[in-house]
Amino acid sequence: AAPRALWSLPEPPPLPLFGIGGRYATAIYTAAAKKGELEKVDTDLKAFSEALEGMPALTAFIGNPNVPRAEKAATLVACLDKMGGCTTSKNAVAVVADGGRSTDLKKVLSMFNELMVAAKGEVTAHVTTAQELDAAGQAAMSKSLDELLAKGQAVTVSYSVDPGLISGHTIEMGDKFIDYSAATQLKKLTALLGIGV
């Protein structure tokens, strides 16, 4: 299933987010949607988020409590300006910094990305297996996950290995956690039988 086209993104945020980061991310989404700039703001903030990862000095500057909020906001806006960011994107990071939440900026950007992924009809899933899956196993897993999705949604899957699962796998998809591991089944069985481990 192909993800939803950007021109058909919903104006109201597609899912509720909580906490301070969620409120800021939702406000950014709403402002960008009203101005018809979701695609541009998404591109700007993804690039800015990647740039932050590569600039530890900027991250330290943002987290420094001795730097005034206005100075942090001006620096973040200048960075986005150099990157060609639109006014809505620059206003978004300025509001976060002016609100004294610059230490939450990475979380806000991550949560905004969650909103955009949901708006596009994309779903991310993380699969942890006891043994590494080969290409055929990954293809079968992706096909199984596609069957769990609503019409118009697409899944992006990441994989990791945890031998502690013994056998089987776990799936984290959105707010769902599915556990098909032998380790969990053994824990349930020992609890049911009252056996101490």
Side-chain angles (χ1 to χ4, degrees), residues 27-152:
I28 294 167
Y29 183 95
T30 303
K34 286 182 179 176
K35 292 182 178 182
E37 296 181 331
L38 277 171
E39 181 177 5
K40 177 63 175 147
V41 171
D42 184 36
T43 302
D44 290 349
L45 296 185
K46 276 183 185 170
F48 186 68
S49 183
E50 289 170 12
L52 271 178
E53 292 300 321
M55 291 190 252
L58 181 59
T59 304
F61 173 80
I62 291 168
N64 185 341
N66 297 321
V67 177
R69 295 176 183 183
E71 189 177 337
K72 289 179 185 181
T75 301
L76 294 174
V77 168
C79 289
L80 259 170
D81 196 39
K82 284 183 183 178
M83 297 172 69
C86 70
T87 302
T88 304
S89 299
K90 290 185 268 189
N91 288 345
V93 297
V95 166
V96 173
D98 283 336
R101 298 296 178 181
S102 54
T103 55
D104 295 320
L105 184 60
K106 287 182 181 181
K107 184 171 188 161
V108 171
L109 297 175
S110 173
M111 294 179 98
F112 177 79
N113 188 56
E114 282 180 45
L115 286 172
M116 290 303 296
V117 165
K120 294 175 188 175
E122 298 171 0
V123 176
T124 55
H126 183 76
V127 177
T128 305
T129 55
Q131 294 89 23
E132 191 166 343
L133 292 178
D134 59 11
Q138 288 185 6
M141 180 65 69
S142 290
K143 185 176 180 186
S144 296
L145 292 173
D146 280 339
E147 293 172 6
L148 298 174
L149 301 175
K151 186 178 178 180

Side-chain angles (χ1 to χ4, degrees), residues 161-176:
V161 176
D162 179 3
L165 296 179
I166 303 172
S167 71
H169 60 273
T170 63
I171 302 167
E172 292 177 64
M173 190 162 66
D175 61 350
K176 294 175 178 53

